[in-house]
């Protein structure tokens, strides 16, 4: 069962055998991890150092690799002289691939792959390990460090799988926090009032403004947040230290309370979090996962997508002046972290904040930011002022959109909000009640295909609106979704009805990503080991489970333009004919030399001559970085393999096939004849 992004309904779609497995492999960050040269090198250095230490003691070297993935760390250990290596992997397709990779590199006699979770491993003559290991190497970390169960994994291994005098890689981890003021970042979590006209304000419901939000981590490429968009209110603080060697017990639930001095004045809105790993027992090798500005050499900071940095939204916002003391409280359980600056009446918060308003369940951070976008809201309001009259009957078909409330505030006679999702229904209902427009706005809890004249009180619609945003759509399908809905709803429209947006364009630009291309690029080799078998597995999984165009928030992934922006498709929404299928082909000229590793796609919309884009926020200039909208995802088509292009010599070709159940995009680079 899958959701058709065009018609918005669930459909049965036949998938290949083991599709879920392929999808999980395709979505994994294995390739990204293996492209992380710093990670690979520092694990390798720590392993060689540990094995040399054991050999100097005259001890047999017995290595246990937990979460082996491709077997890379196990092969490092085997090549460095380990006498035995047990590679533990719980995910069957990856464990099978590890066996192939290990055999391809000639280590099948030295490495034993065990398909189990590490807590299920047995020790003894007939066990998975003949005897306990004396070196543990594990890579079981995520953005929050502990979200993959790292604490339990190390605790169990030290107690049951390792000799008392063992070496653990990494040996320890430190978690850092920094209190930040940022109106931009706050706008991704808390809804603000919308000023529609003098004396007319859309106020968020009280249940939303009083909600602390969710403790769920917001992972981002923190280095890409413009530094003029936030102010550090404290220096970085080490809030937790975890020792994985067994010399100290690992606490599954822990609280850290410390008074820190404010270095700037402002509102304590959020906490930035990152961590580092002490790779060896002596602390000579450190793997720092912080943003560029805390790295020893910011210009050489390594990009990684498998470990990002984290934002946590503080439950209570506290205003401070430079020099004030702030009581920062940090918490963690077995899998997650959260932070607070407790008020005097509530100095300790033992439970993770949870969302009770459902906004943080219904809307993503980007969607909340979209609703708070003052520039875009003002564009919508300007557009509505041109079409809304006291006799306007409006139908809003976007998901959870505030356009219906805006239209009511601007004096429309009747507004129908078509909301098929219960959570969106509840959210818009709370907005309608909070802003006293219940007599104007009626919420229709139906699918568009089920709408009747009775639902519309036998009125003809003279303003059809979309934002456009549809929660089940994946960019760039919003264009086709609205096109389909506009046709579906044509019978309810008055002859002179305004359809907004009036036009939509699917646009594209050839790009050279600095780093994002790596998530779909073959690894080939890492630390001298052949990983082509892994590449084959990933490429097969991607071809089966992934769409040709992937959604990504491109503001987090720098790229420069190699072509001008190009119109691929144009839709005139004033026409009511929806085509179930079509095919187009064409060419895009290359305008700048570089490495073309992808094509970025987005949609532009025209609302009464007001242009609203889901893509670049500034005009594209070839050979310069593109500035992307921070509240939208764009589409990315990766070019395999990346191609060095030269203007006048190369051209980008495209072919788009569309039908209501399936679509395909194909881009390629060819030389001009």
């Amino acid at each position: 069962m899958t959701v058709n992004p065009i018609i918005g309904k669930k459909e049965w779609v036949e998938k290949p055998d083991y599709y879920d497995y392929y999808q999980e492999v395709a979505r994994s960050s294995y390739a990204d991890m293996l492209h992380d040269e710093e990670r690979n090198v520092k694990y390798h250095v720590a392993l060689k150092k540990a094995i040399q230490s054991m050999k100097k003691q005259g001890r047999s070297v017995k290595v246990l690799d937990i979460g082996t993935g491709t077997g890379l760390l196990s092969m490092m250990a085997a090549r460095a002289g380990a006498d035995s290596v047990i590679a533990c992997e719980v995910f069957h397709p990856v464990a099978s691939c590890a066996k192939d990779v290990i055999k391809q590199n000639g280590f099948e006699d030295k490495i034993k792959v065990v398909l189990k979770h590490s807590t299920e491993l047995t020790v003894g003559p007939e066990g998975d390990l003949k005897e306990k290991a004396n070196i543990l190497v594990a890579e079981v970390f995520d953005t929050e460090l502990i979200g993959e169960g790292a604490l339990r994994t190390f605790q169990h291994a030290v107690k049951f799988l390792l000799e008392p005098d063992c070496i653990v890689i990494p040996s320890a981890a430190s978690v850092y926090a920094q209190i930040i003021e940022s109106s931009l970042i706050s706008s991704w979590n808390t809804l603000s009032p919308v000023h529609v006209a003098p004396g007319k304000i859309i106020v968020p419901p009280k249940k939303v403004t009083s909600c602390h939000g969710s403790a769920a981590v917001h992972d981002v490429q923190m280095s890409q947040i413009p530094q003029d968009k936030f102010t550090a209110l404290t220096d970085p603080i080490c809030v937790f230290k975890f020792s994985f060697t067994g010399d100290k017990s690992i606490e599954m639930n822990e609280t850290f309370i410390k008074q820190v001095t404010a270095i700037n004045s402002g509102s304590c809105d959020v906490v930035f979090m990152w961590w580092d790993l002490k790779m060896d027992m002596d602390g000579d090798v450190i793997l720092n996962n912080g943003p560029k500005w805390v790295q020893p050499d910011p210009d050489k900071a390594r990009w990684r997508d498998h470990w990002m940095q984290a934002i946590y939204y503080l439950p209570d916002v506290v205003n401070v002046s430079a020099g004030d003391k702030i009581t920062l409280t940090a918490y963690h359980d077995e899998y997650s972290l959260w932070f607070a600056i407790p008020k005097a009446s509530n100095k300790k918060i033992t439970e993770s904040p949870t969302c009770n308003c459902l906004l943080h369940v219904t809307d993503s951070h980007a969607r909340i930011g979209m609703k708070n976008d003052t520039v875009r809201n003002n564009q919508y309001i300007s557009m509505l002022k041109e079409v809304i009259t006291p006799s306007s009957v409006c139908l809003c078909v976007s998901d959870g959109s505030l356009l219906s409330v805006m239209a009511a505030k601007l004096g429309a006679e009747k507004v129908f909000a078509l909301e098929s999702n219960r959570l969106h229904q509840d959210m818009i209902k709370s907005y309608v009640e909070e802003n006293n427009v219940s007599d104007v706005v009626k919420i229709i809890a139906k699918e568009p295909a089920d709408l009747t004249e009775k639902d519309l009180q036998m009125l003809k619609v003279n303003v059809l609106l979309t934002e456009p945003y549809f929660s089940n759509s994946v960019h760039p399908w919003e264009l086709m979704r609205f096109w389909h809905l506009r046709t579906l709803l044509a019978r309810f429209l008055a002859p002179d009805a305004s359809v907004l947006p009036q036009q939509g364009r699917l646009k594209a630009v050839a790009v050279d990503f600095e780093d994002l291309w790596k998530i779909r690029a073959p690894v080939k080799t890492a630390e001298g080991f052949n990983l082509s078998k892994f590449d084959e597995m990933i490429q097969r999984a991607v071809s089966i489970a992934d769409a040709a165009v992937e959604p990504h928030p491109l503001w987090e992934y720098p790229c420069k333009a190699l072509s001008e922006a190009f119109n691929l498709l144009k839709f005139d929404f004033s026409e009511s004919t929806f085509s179930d299928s079509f095919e187009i082909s064409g060419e895009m000229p290359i305008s700048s030399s570089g490495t073309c590793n992808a094509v970025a796609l987005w949609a532009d919309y025209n609302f009464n001559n007001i242009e609203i884009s889901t893509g670049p926020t500034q005009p594209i200039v070839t050979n310069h970085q593109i500035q992307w909208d921070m509240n939208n995802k764009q589409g990315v088509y990766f070019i395999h393999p990346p191609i060095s292009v030269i203007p006048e010599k190369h051209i980008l070709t495209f072919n788009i096939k569309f039908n209501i159940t399936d679509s395909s995009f194909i881009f390629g680079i060819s030389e001009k004849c």
Side-chain angles (χ1 to χ4, degrees):
M1 185 70 74
T2 186
V3 176
N4 184 308
I6 310 302
I7 63 176
K9 285 191 173 183
K10 291 182 178 180
E11 297 178 331
W12 284 106
V13 177
E14 187 174 346
K15 298 291 187 181
D17 291 342
Y18 306 111
Y19 176 80
D20 290 343
Y21 275 126
Y22 288 122
Q23 188 175 54
E24 189 169 352
V25 171
R27 298 289 188 278
S28 72
S29 296
Y30 288 111
D32 173 39
M33 286 189 290
L34 295 167
H35 279 292
D36 186 348
E37 184 178 344
E38 182 189 21
R39 183 203 80 121
N40 298 342
V41 167
K42 290 187 173 179
Y43 264 100
H44 204 173
V45 169
L47 267 167
K48 287 189 285 189
K49 184 175 179 180
I51 290 170
Q52 289 170 3
S53 175
M54 284 292 176
K55 286 186 173 294
K56 284 180 181 179
Q57 299 174 46
R59 299 170 64 181
S60 175
V61 181
K62 298 166 290 185
V63 175
L64 172 60
D65 174 11
I66 294 179
T68 193
T70 61
L72 177 62
L73 302 184
S74 290
M75 293 189 296
M76 289 179 184
R79 190 169 66 184
D83 295 293
S84 66
V85 182
I86 302 297
C88 176
E89 174 59 53
V90 71
F91 187 28
H92 184 275
V94 175
S96 178
C97 178
K99 291 179 180 180
D100 292 338
V101 171
I102 289 166
K103 182 177 181 180
Q104 185 178 34
N105 285 272
F107 293 105
E108 67 269 31
D109 294 334
K110 299 190 70 174
I111 301 171
K112 177 185 175 183
V113 178
V114 179
L115 179 61
K116 281 186 178 181
H117 193 281
S118 64
T119 55
E120 298 173 346
L121 291 174
T122 57
V123 181
E126 304 301 322
D128 302 307
L129 290 77
K130 300 302 180 187
E131 51 188 344
K132 290 185 176 182
N134 51 25
I135 294 178
L136 169 65
V137 61
E139 208 282 57
V140 288
F141 309 109
D142 67 351
T143 290
E144 284 195 285
L145 180 74
I146 61 176
E148 293 184 3
L151 299 185
R152 185 73 61 184
T153 296
F154 282 103
Q155 183 190 64
H156 177 272
V158 168
K159 186 174 182 180
F160 297 105
L161 305 176
L162 300 177
E163 295 176 352
D165 189 12
C166 64
I167 296 175
V168 178
I169 304 168
S171 64
S174 298
V175 177
Y176 299 89
Q178 187 172 25
I179 301 173
I180 300 294
E181 177 188 61
S182 174
S183 58
L184 168 68
I185 297 172
S186 294
S187 74
W188 294 333
N189 188 66
T190 305
L191 283 172
S192 300
V194 178
H195 294 265
V196 178
K200 296 181 179 180
I201 301 174
I202 298 175
V203 181
K206 289 185 177 63
K207 70 175 185 179
V208 172
T209 55
S210 63
C211 179
H212 292 319
S214 169
V217 62
H218 182 187
D219 53 345
V220 297
Q221 292 286 353
M222 200 174 285
S223 297
Q224 298 307 316
I225 301 176
Q227 294 203 19
D228 63 349
K229 295 298 184 182
F230 66 88
T231 300
L233 300 184
T234 67
D235 292 320
I237 311 140
C238 181
V239 292
F240 294 115
K241 286 183 176 290
F242 300 104
S243 175
F244 301 135
T245 62
D247 61 328
K248 297 178 182 178
S249 63
I250 297 177
E251 298 294 334
M252 296 298 160
N253 292 275
E254 197 172 4
T255 301
F256 168 95
I257 303 174
K258 184 176 181 179
Q259 279 201 331
V260 294
T261 302
I263 59 175
N264 288 299
S265 301
S267 299
C268 301
D269 297 324
V270 299
V271 168
F272 284 174
M273 187 282 288
W274 62 89
W275 45 263
D276 65 26
L277 298 174
K278 185 170 79 170
M279 301 304 296
D280 61 332
M281 303 290 278
D282 301 322
D284 297 330
V285 184
I286 302 295
L287 182 54
N288 189 327
N289 193 46
K292 284 185 177 181
W293 64 82
V294 301
Q295 295 283 353
D297 188 345
D299 292 335
K300 294 183 179 178
R302 302 295 299 184
W303 177 85
R304 47 180 66 102
D305 213 44
H306 57 105
W307 298 331
M308 288 193 267
Q309 296 79 42
I311 294 171
Y312 296 85
Y313 297 90
L314 290 166
D316 296 299
V317 175
V318 178
N319 295 321
V320 298
S321 298
D324 286 353
K325 295 295 183 180
I326 306 171
T327 302
L328 175 65
T329 308
Y331 311 85
H332 78 81
D333 56 22
E334 189 173 343
Y335 298 102
S336 59
L337 299 95
W338 63 98
F339 298 85
I341 301 175
K343 296 180 180 179
S345 60
N346 183 17
K347 289 192 174 181
K348 192 170 182 181
I349 303 171
T350 57
E351 293 185 357
S352 170
T354 56
C355 171
N356 54 32
C357 73
L358 296 182
L359 168 72
H360 307 93
V361 177
T362 307
D363 289 346
S364 67
H365 290 298
R367 176 58 173 158
I368 296 172
M370 208 182 296
K371 289 181 175 180
N372 282 326
D373 188 330
T374 302
V375 172
R376 182 164 295 188
N377 284 337
N378 287 340
Q379 289 176 310
Y380 288 142
I381 292 163
S382 296
M383 170 269 295
L384 287 170
K385 285 179 178 178
E386 293 186 17
V387 298
I388 298 298
T389 69
S391 60
S392 292
V393 177
C394 304
L395 176 59
C396 183
V397 296
S398 188
D399 289 342
S401 174
L402 298 182
L403 289 181
S404 57
V405 185
M406 290 181 188
K409 285 284 188 180
L410 289 172
E413 178 184 356
K414 197 69 183 176
V415 181
F416 298 98
L418 190 55
E419 298 284 358
S420 58
N421 180 282
R422 184 184 61 80
L423 294 177
H424 287 137
Q425 294 162 18
D426 292 344
M427 182 57 61
I428 295 303
K429 181 181 179 182
S430 64
Y431 259 97
V432 168
E433 293 173 347
E434 188 75 32
N435 290 278
N436 300 313
V437 291
S438 300
D439 57 334
V440 179
V441 180
K442 178 187 177 185
I443 300 167
I444 302 174
K446 280 189 174 183
E447 294 285 350
D450 301 326
L451 189 67
T452 67
E453 285 85 354
K454 186 177 180 181
D455 295 320
L456 299 174
Q457 300 174 1
M458 309 307 290
L459 297 171
K460 282 292 184 181
V461 173
N462 51 36
V463 181
L464 176 63
L465 290 169
T466 191
E467 194 165 337
Y469 170 84
F470 301 102
S471 56
N472 287 331
S473 298
V474 178
H475 192 91
W477 296 123
E478 288 86 345
L479 276 164
M480 283 72 163
R481 173 85 167 125
F482 183 59
W483 185 27
H484 171 72
L485 289 177
R486 185 260 177 274
T487 305
L488 191 66
L489 300 171
R491 63 193 179 97
F492 302 110
L493 304 184
D496 59 346
S498 296
V499 178
L500 297 167
Q502 296 153 322
Q503 293 179 337
R505 295 186 303 278
L506 178 62
K507 306 193 75 170
V509 61
V511 297
D512 181 356
F513 281 112
E514 288 183 13
D515 297 295
L516 184 62
W517 62 275
K518 296 173 186 174
I519 68 171
R520 288 293 174 262
V523 179
K524 296 181 181 178
T525 63
E527 290 298 284
F529 297 99
N530 184 347
L531 299 181
S532 60
K533 290 291 185 182
F534 165 78
D535 289 334
E536 292 172 9
M537 178 189 72
I538 288 290
Q539 293 306 316
R540 185 182 180 199
V542 167
S543 67
I544 291 173
D546 276 1
V549 177
E550 302 178 15
H552 291 281
L554 293 188
W555 70 268
E556 297 186 52
Y557 304 102
C559 64
K560 69 176 184 179
L562 299 178
S563 73
E564 306 289 344
F566 190 85
N567 290 330
L568 296 176
L569 294 170
K570 183 177 180 180
F571 298 97
D572 185 346
F573 297 126
S574 64
E575 298 178 0
S576 61
T577 303
F578 176 79
S579 176
D580 285 349
S581 63
F582 61 80
E583 180 175 359
I584 63 167
S585 298
E587 297 179 341
M588 294 169 50
I590 296 295
S591 306
S592 178
S593 297
T595 301
C596 185
N597 45 42
V599 176
L601 300 98
W602 70 97
D604 284 350
Y605 299 91
N606 184 287
F607 292 82
N608 273 353
N609 298 317
I610 295 174
E611 289 286 335
I612 293 181
S613 177
T614 63
T617 57
Q618 301 291 332
I620 287 178
V621 179
T622 56
N623 204 36
H624 286 73
Q625 284 202 357
I626 302 173
Q627 304 301 312
W628 297 99
D629 187 286
M630 298 180 75
N631 295 321
N632 282 282
K633 289 184 179 182
Q634 292 74 34
V636 179
Y637 181 101
F638 291 102
I639 301 290
H640 295 301
I643 298 173
S644 296
V645 294
I646 302 172
E648 306 301 326
K649 181 179 179 182
H650 293 100
I651 197 160
L652 183 69
T653 62
F654 65 89
N655 178 267
I656 301 173
K657 293 181 181 179
F658 168 81
N659 64 59
I660 203 165
T661 58
D662 188 27
S663 300
S664 66
F665 287 71
I666 298 176
F667 291 89
I669 303 290
S670 63
E671 291 193 13
K672 287 186 177 180
C673 297

